[in-house]
Amino acid sequence: MKPASDETTAGARRAETIANLIIAAIVVGVSVAAILGTQHFPAVRLSTDVGPARFPIIYSGVLIVLSLLLVAGTLRGRQFSEAAKPKGRNAYLAVAAGVALTLICLVAIVYVGYVASTIVYVIALMVLMGRRNLLTTPLIAIGLTALVYFTFSYGLHVPLPVGSLFE
């Protein structure tokens, strides 16, 4: 006979698995609806303009890929280790810190620009979530920032803020 704590843990994992699958299905459904809804957006006449329909399609595509990764990870049984999950009051503090970091980043973008503020922001969020590798954390932050920067600046021709300190 299993101890009650094992049954409780198994029930919590099952509930978390079901919740992850439901969330992924909802996000995929909303993303597909957004893609279908933007099919009738007006076309632009400028060859350098990507048009208003492009952003929802890109965003929805990314959400679908992330949802599929969530489903794959959930079905493979990957769970966060219990040590990595904030518990009790610490969970609320982590969420509040994440919101505060986001607001600070939004203000910092105006002064120091997208690149500098986003690199610091991503590093801070990764540390907040428990990633503390001194080599890979900054490299991942720089890589993600560069990917978004080049996608918007060169792929979509949308300039990102350089900040008032650098103008």
Side-chain angles (χ1 to χ4, degrees):
M1 185 168 177
K2 293 182 182 179
S5 63
D6 285 347
E7 291 175 8
T8 304
T9 304
R13 284 190 182 141
R14 191 175 314 114
E16 186 175 341
T17 298
I18 292 169
N20 283 346
L21 295 175
I22 290 171
I23 289 168
I26 290 170
V27 171
V28 167
V30 170
S31 298
V32 169
I35 290 171
L36 295 175
T38 59
Q39 295 299 313
H40 302 292
F41 278 14
V44 293
R45 295 186 180 132
L46 300 172
S47 62
T48 58
D49 193 1
V50 294
R54 185 79 58 212
F55 295 106
I57 291 171
I58 292 170
Y59 184 69
S60 295
V62 169
L63 284 176
I64 290 170
V65 169
L66 291 174
S67 294
L68 294 176
L69 289 173
L70 175 63
V71 168
T74 300
L75 294 178
R76 289 177 65 190
R78 288 189 176 178
Q79 303 288 336
F80 289 110
S81 70
E82 292 301 317
K85 287 184 181 178
K87 293 179 179 68
R89 186 177 177 142
N90 289 340
Y92 293 111
L93 291 174
V95 170
V99 171
L101 284 170
T102 303
L103 294 174
I104 291 168
C105 180
L106 290 173
V107 171
I109 284 175
V110 174
Y111 298 104
V112 297
Y114 171 80
V115 174
S117 62
T118 304
I119 289 172
V120 172
Y121 172 65
V122 172
I123 290 171
L125 279 181
M126 289 173 73
V127 169
L128 181 66
M129 290 187 283
R131 183 167 183 92
R132 291 184 172 78
N133 189 309
L134 294 176
L135 178 63
T136 59
T137 299
L139 290 176
I140 291 171
I142 290 168
L144 286 173
T145 303
L147 175 70
V148 172
Y149 179 81
F150 287 116
T151 299
F152 276 87
S153 292
Y154 297 106
L156 300 173
H157 302 289
V158 175
L160 294 171
V162 291
S164 62
L165 297 178
F166 300 112
E167 288 181 341

